[in-house]
Amino acid sequence: MLKPSFAIGLLFLTLIKPSQPLAADLGTQDSQSVERPWNEDVIYFALTDRFHDGDPSNNTPKDCDPALYDLEQSEISMYHGGDFRGIEKAIQSGYFTDLGISAIWLSPPVRNAWRSAFDSGGPKTGYHGYWTQDFLDIDPHLVSSKSLDGTPYPDNRDGRMMHYRDLVNLAHQHGIKVIQDVVCNHTGPLFYYDANENGQLDSADKQEWIAPFAMDRYTNTAWVNQPQWNLLPPQPAGVQTVLGKQVNTTGVLRDFNVYGRFGFNDDSLGKSDGEEVLCDFFSLRDLYTHPEAPHFDALVDEFVEIYYFYINTIGIDGLRLDTVKHVHHEFWTAFTHRLRAKLGDDADKLLISGEVYDGNPRVLGRYTFSKDPESGQKTTEPCLDSLLNFQFCFNLRDYLRKPGADFGNPWGLQNTTDYLYRTGDQACYNEEVGFDGLRPRQKMINFYENHDGLNRFLVKEVDEVKHRLALTILMTSEGIPCVYYGAEASLRDTDGQLGRDSETGRITFAKQADQETLQSAKQAKAFELIRRLVEMRQNHPALTSGSMATLWTDADNDKGDDGLYVFTRFLVNDANEVDRSKTVLVAINANPNKSAMVNSVSLATGNDGQFSLALPGDSFLPFQVVGGGGGGGDQGAGNRVLVRQDSETSMPSITINVPASSAIVYVLQ
């Protein structure tokens, strides 16, 4: 029968008692890796400087300008003090395990440029990690002088790498994978454009930080030397020995010819004519990745050496590639192929996912295909394993991120699913399985808020219940769900506004080494919702391995059902038949004012038009939600799901009542 597993209401959350302990699938392990398919994971994205200040002693590291740290942790463009120790304390206390998190995505941990006098919106610091100065060192803002057990770390690069390795090992001991955010598109603002040709950096001259875009390369460049801002020539400068391992880097990043030096215009990043690949990224220095560049192979090999070290020696489990569409596709093909070849048999454990800031599935999906270096045509050989699913993000926000009682239409979410399943010549995503046996669509990273201009879902105009409805869709849709730090406590950006992109959502979660924030977060409705949804994912394979089909979206000519979105997750056996016993149905009603009725929804909505739940015809199935109400409707034993045979199509159809501002998940049993 069709059994409801939980309902989320406007003012309260109703859930069934879990049938097994949450940590059953996240058991403690002592190995250097965690053996679990990536589609079974739930990711937590921690912008490290803003998550938890676990060690205040590193807030103003040696030689760093102390004015770059904001003691009040309120100025968005300055350092706030979050660090590895804050992440470690959260892991050690069971915070992530209690939430159900099985993978942590860390913002880039490498040593950064600490300040730029000009960038997007004015002077900023590199607190976020995307302004690399040394690819083979860890930023001193993130590390402690001693390990958790009190053992001193050497005050050098090896000591900083030891702390990073200890963090990764601690995560693995708790069954948690670690994804490292990496940047191959650019470095920090490590050289300047000598606009007035006086042979020195004029810090107050914007054009020496951000030169206007021009197709003729600038040649008037010189390295900056300002140690208090860590504006120094890039590293590594040659072969390095780190933690006793020789890393065969060459110092190619010290060659000015490796950089594009084309400058930047305000609209450069939004272009689609090639300028977006060639331009600097505001004040950051673009690496020239054209496949015909004489340094192409050396540059690819340099990054393969660097990130092989982090995978093989530090033990990270995945790579999140930043600014993918601003790099030539051929570079990603060469990088992923050579890195996997170097990893050998371990290549099937690594997840390589990319950030392509675009909602077009064809733009996203093309990076799952390799690109032949000679013909320039795409091949079905795997390139990136998956992408951040911006199409899902934009469409979910269009549906639920609305002011007050308003809500949007879920049609875009249906389109997101449809594009994932396109096949043959119409396929947006590679249909071939990757090294781990999974297709890209099974590993797309779903999210609906992040640290970029998208900002937080919760700003002052948006009701919290919509956030919980969004979490339900996130955790039950096909792909890997990614929770943005603080979302579990419904962290709200009170400075953010609908319709205005900004970085104001990068607020500090647990301030001033205060763990009380993490403890109180466990009492939040969103925390409990995520925890129970993770349990549901563990208990019902359709939610991690199943296909997805939309059953219902709003009809534009019928105001009576506005706000309703219904979809199913299902497993198919070897005979291409739906396994009825492992099917999940999710119904969302975004309307806060009235319940909605789904009438005669055809279940023949699979990719080939043949999907069927194979339910008995003309069955009237009663159900009961355990524990009470949900939203504006009565959730007592009188509610029921009608499953019947359609007289015209001979296919099963259903009738469901979904209370106002509610999400109900049904499991066929």
Side-chain angles (χ1 to χ4, degrees):
M1 63 184 294
L2 203 58
K3 178 181 178 182
S5 289
F6 77 87
I8 170 177
L10 180 62
L11 299 176
F12 47 84
L13 178 66
T14 304
L15 298 159
I16 64 169
K17 183 178 180 180
S19 59
Q20 66 181 32
L22 176 64
D25 191 51
L26 303 177
T28 299
Q29 301 184 25
D30 295 323
S31 66
Q32 271 292 105
S33 63
V34 179
E35 301 290 340
R36 181 175 54 246
W38 280 97
N39 61 305
E40 296 180 8
D41 282 306
V42 177
I43 298 172
Y44 187 97
F45 173 33
L47 188 59
T48 308
D49 181 74
R50 303 302 160 90
F51 176 70
H52 179 26
D53 184 1
D55 180 2
S57 70
N58 60 21
N59 291 342
T60 55
K62 182 177 63 175
D63 300 327
C64 180
D65 180 358
L68 303 183
Y69 168 67
D70 176 24
L71 180 63
E72 300 299 321
Q73 298 177 305
S74 60
E75 173 51 56
I76 290 298
S77 296
M78 296 172 67
Y79 285 91
H80 286 194
D83 48 31
F84 286 172
R85 185 53 40 88
I87 301 287
E88 286 176 318
K89 286 181 176 179
I91 295 173
Q92 196 175 48
S93 70
Y95 182 80
F96 295 118
T97 302
D98 290 346
L99 183 58
I101 296 302
S102 59
I104 301 173
W105 157 17
L106 297 175
S107 50
V110 295
R111 191 178 183 100
N112 263 230
W114 294 332
R115 186 181 187 271
S116 176
F118 287 93
D119 199 74
S120 172
K124 292 185 176 180
T125 68
Y127 68 87
H128 40 67
Y130 294 94
W131 295 0
T132 308
Q133 182 269 325
D134 190 339
F135 288 90
L136 273 178
D137 198 356
I138 302 301
D139 201 277
H141 287 90
L142 303 179
V143 297
S144 299
S145 61
K146 296 180 180 179
S147 67
L148 277 170
D149 65 8
T151 304
Y153 291 123
D155 186 15
N156 55 26
R157 179 177 58 188
D158 273 0
R160 293 185 285 273
M161 282 292 183
M162 286 178 187
H163 193 176
Y164 188 29
R165 184 173 61 184
D166 283 351
L167 166 60
V168 173
N169 284 337
L170 178 67
H172 289 168
Q173 290 165 16
H174 287 258
I176 298 172
K177 300 174 182 176
V178 176
I179 300 170
Q180 180 170 325
D181 205 326
V182 304
V183 185
C184 298
N185 175 64
H186 57 261
T187 69
L190 307 183
F191 63 76
Y192 65 97
Y193 294 95
D194 191 8
N196 58 15
E197 299 185 347
N198 66 354
Q200 63 183 27
L201 171 63
D202 295 293
S203 193
D205 185 350
K206 181 178 180 179
Q207 287 202 19
E208 300 217 345
W209 296 90
I210 304 177
F213 184 84
M215 284 306 298
D216 292 329
R217 281 183 165 189
Y218 289 91
T219 59
N220 58 333
T221 53
W223 300 116
V224 184
N225 185 13
Q226 294 184 331
Q228 77 280 15
W229 294 349
N230 204 43
L231 294 178
L232 300 167
Q235 294 282 359
V239 176
Q240 304 291 314
T241 300
V242 190
L243 296 178
K245 300 291 183 68
Q246 180 171 301
V247 185
N248 294 317
T249 46
T250 63
V252 66
L253 296 171
R254 290 287 186 97
D255 182 353
F256 274 121
N257 291 316
V258 170
Y259 298 86
R261 294 171 290 156
F262 294 107
F264 173 82
N265 286 335
D266 289 341
D267 62 348
S268 290
L269 296 175
K271 295 288 187 64
S272 57
D273 58 2
E275 184 175 325
E276 76 283 4
V277 181
L278 299 176
C279 67
D280 283 344
F281 205 100
F282 296 99
S283 67
L284 311 181
R285 303 307 177 220
D286 182 69
L287 291 162
Y288 188 54
T289 55
H290 196 286
E292 295 181 5
H295 58 263
F296 177 81
D297 286 323
L299 185 60
V300 171
D301 291 341
E302 189 84 345
F303 282 117
V304 168
E305 273 298 303
I306 289 167
Y307 292 111
Y308 177 78
F309 167 82
Y310 285 107
I311 297 164
N312 187 57
T313 302
I314 302 301
I316 64 165
D317 306 280
L319 302 178
R320 180 268 189 188
L321 305 178
D322 183 64
T323 50
V324 163
K325 73 174 181 179
H326 302 292
V327 174
H328 290 87
H329 196 150
E330 293 86 349
F331 177 92
W332 296 124
T333 298
F335 173 76
T336 55
H337 288 195
R338 296 180 198 181
L339 179 59
R340 289 183 180 119
K342 194 171 180 68
L343 287 168
D345 292 340
D346 290 332
D348 61 348
K349 301 174 185 177
L350 180 70
L351 177 72
I352 304 177
S353 187
E355 179 233 12
V356 176
Y357 202 117
D358 201 301
N360 185 335
R362 296 202 176 278
V363 175
L364 294 172
R366 69 188 181 201
Y367 294 98
T368 62
F369 299 91
S370 291
K371 196 168 187 179
D372 184 271
E374 295 184 3
S375 68
Q377 300 299 308
K378 73 177 183 181
T379 73
T380 57
E381 194 170 0
C383 186
L384 274 59
D385 293 306
S386 73
L387 285 302
L388 293 178
N389 197 345
F390 275 91
Q391 186 189 17
F392 174 91
C393 173
F394 294 152
N395 288 325
L396 179 55
R397 288 164 76 94
D398 284 346
Y399 174 36
L400 294 175
R401 193 175 184 257
K402 303 293 182 181
D406 293 348
F407 50 86
N409 196 291
W411 283 342
L413 289 169
Q414 177 177 348
N415 289 337
T416 299
T417 300
D418 291 346
Y419 277 109
L420 285 173
Y421 282 88
R422 293 208 173 179
T423 59
D425 293 340
Q426 298 298 315
C428 296
Y429 298 92
N430 200 335
E431 299 172 84
E432 299 296 320
V433 298
F435 284 74
D436 58 359
L438 298 171
R439 292 178 175 83
R441 66 175 174 82
Q442 297 175 283
K443 298 174 288 188
M444 291 292 286
I445 297 180
N446 295 329
F447 69 105
Y448 61 84
E449 55 183 348
N450 70 4
H451 58 316
D452 286 320
L454 284 169
N455 209 337
R456 290 194 174 271
F457 184 90
L458 280 173
V459 291
K460 55 189 175 184
E461 302 100 325
V462 180
D463 190 278
E464 183 183 337
V465 72
K466 293 177 182 174
H467 171 58
R468 300 205 299 273
L469 294 175
L471 281 171
T472 303
I473 297 173
L474 174 74
M475 300 293 290
T476 54
S477 296
E478 183 167 8
I480 307 172
C482 180
V483 177
Y484 189 35
Y485 80 98
E488 69 276 20
S490 296
L491 186 60
R492 184 183 297 273
D493 175 18
T494 56
D495 292 327
Q497 296 179 11
L498 290 175
R500 187 188 74 182
D501 291 345
S502 73
E503 298 173 354
T504 56
R506 301 179 184 182
I507 47 185
T508 288
F509 184 34
K511 291 192 173 185
Q512 307 291 355
D514 176 19
Q515 284 197 287
E516 292 301 317
T517 300
L518 301 183
Q519 292 303 316
S520 63
K522 294 184 179 183
Q523 309 306 314
K525 293 178 181 179
F527 190 102
E528 177 70 0
L529 175 62
I530 294 169
R531 188 176 75 83
R532 295 297 179 88
L533 287 167
V534 170
E535 289 174 349
M536 184 172 291
R537 286 175 59 85
Q538 293 173 344
N539 293 333
H540 300 287
L543 291 176
T544 55
S545 303
S547 298
M548 182 170 173
T550 301
L551 301 183
W552 184 272
T553 56
D554 286 344
D556 59 356
N557 59 354
D558 184 356
K559 300 302 181 183
D561 63 357
D562 283 352
L564 197 60
Y565 174 46
V566 184
F567 62 92
T568 185
R569 299 291 308 280
F570 58 95
L571 293 171
V572 179
N573 60 26
D574 292 340
N576 201 32
E577 298 171 339
V578 173
D579 186 340
R580 175 189 168 192
S581 67
K582 297 177 181 178
T583 298
V584 176
L585 185 148
V586 182
I588 310 289
N589 181 10
N591 191 328
N593 298 316
K594 59 182 179 180
S595 61
M597 183 72 73
V598 184
N599 288 305
S600 302
V601 180
S602 173
L603 298 184
T605 53
N607 180 54
D608 57 2
Q610 300 301 311
F611 168 66
S612 168
L613 288 179
L615 297 172
D618 300 322
S619 299
F620 209 57
L621 305 178
F623 72 89
Q624 181 176 0
V625 174
V626 178
D634 176 17
Q635 283 291 96
N639 281 280
R640 52 195 175 179
V641 174
L642 172 63
V643 182
R644 66 188 182 192
Q645 202 80 6
D646 188 282
S647 59
E648 295 183 2
T649 65
S650 297
M651 296 297 293
S653 62
I654 60 175
T655 299
I656 308 171
N657 181 67
V658 188
S661 291
S662 291
I664 304 177
V665 177
Y666 302 93
V667 179
L668 271 174
Q669 294 184 337

